[in-house]
Amino acid sequence: MRDFDAIILGAGAAGLMCALRAGQRGRRVLLLDHAAQAGSKILISGGGRCNFTNLHTAPDRFFSANPHFCKSALARYRPADFLGLVGRHRIAWHEKTLGQLFCDGSARQIVAMLLAECEAAGVTLRLGHRVTDIGRDTAYYLDTDHGRFTAPALVLATGGLSIPKMGATGLAHDTARRFGLPLTGIRPGLVPLTFEGEALALMRPLSGLSLPAVARAGRHAFPEAVLFTHRGLSGPAILQASSAWREGQALTLDLLPGEDATARLLAGKQARPRAEPRSLLAEMLPQRLAQALATAWLPAGILAAQTDRDLKRTGGQLNAWSLLPSGTEGYAKAEVTLGGVDTAALSSRDMQARAAPGLFVIGEAVDVTGWLGGYNFQWAWASGHVAGEAL
């Protein structure tokens, strides 16, 4: 049995941040993970360059049953704070679109930075430790295949169910339940959408084709690229919309954002009556897509043979193509897990469980999920930091 002031279960983004901050405050910290290396998901993020935060971080960029819960942590540890840490370690970075910040070099620099900070703070890191039991008597205890560890504080930072090939498990959710913490509905987020029937028959031959569009699900609209796949739709706009989409709900695509598709079709008929519809559509859309939509949506024949009614209907579809997804590609392809430990069970100030003093839940395990583009990393840094301040 080895005693610590705090045990942090999970050496990912949130766990590393929590450990280094608690260690800096003089706490005896054990950071423990079943994986052979720390920060596995950090290493694969952003195409290996780690989209480590977003300059536009704000509470309205997060999904949660309680949209106000994330405000406290995000206000107390901002993107500028993490950038300061990156700067002190002389890691070069750049901004891409929409406020997304990436390393110029490798995501390994971020992991190395966090590990260096943990080491300097005296954190004890134990990798390759499989947990066999978790409980509480006079203190919290973890039984592992390397023995038992105890501490008055336990932090659950093992994430959600997304990307199981990287070692994701439901340990945080299971442990939360064990201590009486309720969970919200859990489902894959930032995930490609699948289709069946006629919709898939149209999409499958277009696999690999990408174009700018606006994807709408519920009250949310996301203007980014849409990618056709052999199973349906992906790309940033679809991944974003998937987090707002619910089973049985329609998804709407605007394939010509900022343009009046109906007006262009009617004007094209007047200007070039003998042209084929696919030729006119190809001036607005990628050629393969133009061909597919002309075949699917319009009668055969030149533009002069098309009724204004048919062209108006097609224009409406171009600006608001209503599709019914059959589902998602699941946790295997999901970048995040939506839902998690109910925020009503936690303090927004320090992430501590109200009904289990000394138990903290941070990062992806909590019912706070960010948009695509660095928001989930910022939530990991922020929630980990405020918990580390309280340990």
Side-chain angles (χ1 to χ4, degrees), residues 164-187:
K165 69 179 181 181
M166 298 298 296
T169 71
L171 181 59
H173 299 153
D174 294 340
T175 304
R177 285 193 195 96
R178 177 175 298 193
F179 289 103
L181 277 60
L183 304 181
T184 64
I186 296 171
R187 57 194 175 90

Side-chain angles (χ1 to χ4, degrees), residues 283-307:
E283 295 174 6
M284 311 180 220
L285 301 167
Q287 188 168 354
R288 278 199 295 154
L289 179 58
Q291 172 69 59
L293 296 184
T295 301
W297 292 352
L298 286 168
I302 60 176
L303 283 169
Q306 311 295 323
T307 67

Side-chain angles (χ1 to χ4, degrees), residues 183-273:
L183 304 181
T184 64
I186 296 171
R187 57 194 175 90
L190 298 180
V191 63
L193 297 175
T194 58
F195 292 82
E196 296 175 348
E198 292 182 4
L200 182 59
L202 187 153
M203 295 171 186
R204 184 170 280 161
L206 300 172
S207 181
L209 186 151
S210 177
L211 77 162
V214 177
R216 292 185 172 85
R219 61 184 180 84
H220 296 277
F222 298 100
E224 287 191 74
V226 167
L227 172 69
F228 289 88
T229 75
H230 70 287
R231 298 188 64 186
L233 295 173
S234 187
I238 297 300
L239 298 184
Q240 294 276 44
S242 73
S243 292
W245 176 78
R246 294 300 182 104
E247 188 173 355
Q249 181 185 60
L251 173 81
T252 303
L253 291 184
D254 182 351
L255 300 176
L256 291 170
E259 294 191 54
D260 185 336
T262 298
R264 286 197 62 175
L265 289 174
L266 293 175
K269 176 183 176 180
Q270 292 297 317
R272 298 159 52 199

Side-chain angles (χ1 to χ4, degrees), residues 5 10 29 55 90 99 191 234 239 246 258 262 265 267 290 299 324 345 349 353 386:
D5 294 323
V29 178
L55 294 176
R90 299 182 180 180
V191 63
S234 187
L239 298 184
R246 294 300 182 104
T262 298
L265 289 174
L324 186 62
R349 181 160 186 80
V386 297

